[in-house]
């Protein structure tokens, strides 16, 4: 991903995300500053809409546990991509980062 500024996974910050296709990463920082990557996702239409679904616990039960437990501590970043390149980028990031809640992709 290009150089990005991490943002808290809260509606105030999600509102600033463009309604464009792309990939995104959700993580939590631990007490010693290390990162635990929780989820890598994509949207062929609107990253903003997908992030709101996660914030509202709409579709991933594994990620839902983290959102409920650590909500304000979660961070995200995103990258705008052309629809034809989104799936390949998401797949590469999942293989590289091994997120905890992308269960089917990590198996």
């Amino acid at each position: 991903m290009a150089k990005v500024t991490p943002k808290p996974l809260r509606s105030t910050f999600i509102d600033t995300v463009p309604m464009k296709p792309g990939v995104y990463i959700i993580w939590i920082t631990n007490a010693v500053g290390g990162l635990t990557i929780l989820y890598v996702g994509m949207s062929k239409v609107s990253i903003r809409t997908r992030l709101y679904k996660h914030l509202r616990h709409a579709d991933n039960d594994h990620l839902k546990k983290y959102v409920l437990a650590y909500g304000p501590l979660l961070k995200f970043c995103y990258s705008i991509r052309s629809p034809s390149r989104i799936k390949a980028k998401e797949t590469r990031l999942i293989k590289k980062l091994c997120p905890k809640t992308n269960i089917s992709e990590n198996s």
Side-chain angles (χ1 to χ4, degrees), residues 27-96:
W27 73 90
I28 189 166
T29 305
N30 64 33
V32 293
L35 299 180
T36 299
I37 305 296
L38 299 175
Y39 191 77
V40 173
M42 68 167 201
S43 175
K44 293 181 180 179
V45 179
S46 170
I47 298 171
R48 185 188 311 172
T49 301
R50 287 293 294 140
L51 288 169
Y52 268 119
K53 283 184 180 179
H54 294 310
L55 189 62
R56 294 181 181 126
H57 327 296
D59 54 1
N60 181 320
D61 287 335
H62 301 289
L63 180 58
K64 178 181 180 177
K65 292 185 289 188
Y66 288 95
V67 173
L68 290 171
Y70 303 105
L73 302 174
L74 298 178
K75 304 276 190 238
F76 75 94
C77 64
Y78 64 92
S79 178
I80 304 300
R81 297 280 174 199
S82 69
S84 62
R85 295 176 42 202
I86 292 172
K87 185 62 182 169
K89 182 66 174 181
E90 180 197 39
T91 301
R92 282 194 304 275
L93 285 170
I94 289 170
K95 286 181 181 177
K96 180 179 179 181

